[in-house]
């Protein structure tokens, strides 16, 4: 595979185990075409399906996609309503994809803010794909890195109060185990299309040593080739983790 690259010890550098994608630029994609923003979101959802399948096919173990942030509630009601309808429709359609591809789906974020119907669908998808042994697909919806860490702090405080743990037990591993991504490796690579150069509250704790790759193109235009390019660039990076 072209992205396999020999490192100095002669071993092959592996693919990233975990890729995060900030699926940004749907609105601008639509605007460029004189279409309503909703058309961009629709095109973005179609592209998500394509890229998720591709990641599974090439052997990515974990894929985390950012679909809706805790700050996206600041958008006009009409856009939020459209996005919620799109999530419902998408989840119904994608159930068969997940089965076919043996993908295990998890949702990262606070589900309580969604409609009863959407919450039910989320539970169904998580339950029905739980036994799947292929790629883990994390869908970050009503997700915020700060909110995630705050929730972890609360859970740890309750355990402390109930004397399940002692202060000495609080360490980085324990914090990680209280995040939505508990038990998963941190993302090796985070990709953001759209031209924005920021994380926008995505995986704040987990991204401490992620390699960041930004693309100057909009999410609905992000192709399998672009993903290959990102993986290639990732393989050329020297990850030091503070060492030399
Ligand atoms: C990302 O695209 C989708 C969501 C945040 C839900 P945007 O809607 O942010 O698109 P731009 O950034 O306005 O182009
Ligand atoms: C980040 O994109 C969130 C998602 C892609 C779901 P935004 O469009 O919300 O981010 P900002 O506002 O440009 O930082
Ligand atoms: Mg945006």
């Amino acid at each position: 595979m072209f992205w396999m690259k020999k490192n100095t010890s002669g071993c092959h550098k592996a693919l990233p185990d975990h890729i995060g994608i900030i699926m940004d630029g749907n609105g601008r994609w639509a605007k460029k075409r004189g279409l309503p923003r909703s058309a961009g979101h629709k095109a973005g959802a179609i592209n998500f399906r394509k890229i998720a399948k591709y990641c599974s096919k090439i052997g990515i173990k974990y894929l985390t996609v950012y679909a809706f942030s805790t700050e996206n509630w600041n958008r006009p009601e009409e856009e939020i309503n459209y996005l919620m309808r799109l999530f419902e429709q998408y989840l119904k359609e994608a159930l068969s994809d997940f089965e076919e591809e043996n993908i295990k789906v998890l949702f990262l974020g606070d589900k309580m803010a969604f409609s009863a119907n959407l919450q039910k669908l989320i539970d169904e998808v998580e339950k029905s794909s739980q036994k799947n042994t292929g790629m883990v697909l994390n869908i970050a919806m009503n997700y915020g890195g700060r909110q995630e860490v705050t929730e972890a702090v609360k859970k740890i405080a309750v355990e402390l109060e109930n004397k399940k743990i002692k202060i000495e037990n609080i360490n980085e591993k324990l914090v990680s185990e209280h995040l939505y991504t508990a038990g998963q490796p941190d993302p090796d690579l985070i990709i953001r299309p759209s031209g924005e150069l920021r994380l926008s509250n995505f995986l704040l704790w987990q991204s401490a040593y992620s390699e960041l790759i930004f693309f100057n193109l909009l999410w609905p235009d992000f192709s399998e080739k672009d993903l290959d390019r990102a993986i290639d660039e990732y393989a050329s990076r020297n990850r030091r983790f503070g060492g030399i």
Side-chain angles (χ1 to χ4, degrees), residues 22-24 66-69 72 75 192 196 198 200:
I22 301 172
M23 304 189 292
D24 192 25
Y66 204 6
F68 193 86
S69 75
N72 287 147
R75 296 189 175 200
R192 181 170 193 160
E196 308 302 348
R198 55 178 171 263
S200 302

Side-chain angles (χ1 to χ4, degrees), residues 112-175:
M112 302 308 279
F114 298 128
S115 71
N117 193 30
L118 186 51
Q119 287 188 47
K120 200 172 134 236
L121 264 167
I122 287 173
D123 288 343
E124 265 171 41
V125 171
E126 281 187 330
K127 238 196 206 141
S128 71
S129 71
Q130 202 180 23
K131 60 190 183 312
N132 291 348
T133 54
M135 185 176 81
V136 173
L137 171 63
N138 297 312
I139 304 178
M141 256 168 64
N142 191 23
Y143 171 89
R146 288 185 172 185
Q147 185 256 21
E148 179 181 38
V149 173
T150 306
E151 283 307 308
V153 170
K154 277 194 210 161
K155 285 182 217 156
I156 292 169
V158 169
E159 288 174 20
L160 200 64
E161 199 171 50
N162 296 341
K163 305 214 178 330
K164 276 197 178 151
I165 55 164
K166 296 191 189 118
I167 291 216
E168 305 86 80
N169 299 127
I170 301 177
N171 53 29
E172 291 184 11
K173 188 166 168 278
L174 187 90
V175 174

Side-chain angles (χ1 to χ4, degrees), residues 89-123:
Q89 190 197 329
Y90 174 80
L91 288 181
K92 274 184 211 147
E93 286 173 14
L95 262 172
S96 59
D97 270 13
F98 302 144
E99 276 318 303
E100 255 167 55
E101 304 284 320
N102 193 23
I103 293 174
K104 177 175 172 170
V105 185
L106 287 169
F107 289 84
L108 316 184
D110 178 10
K111 298 166 194 169
M112 302 308 279
F114 298 128
S115 71
N117 193 30
L118 186 51
Q119 287 188 47
K120 200 172 134 236
L121 264 167
I122 287 173
D123 288 343

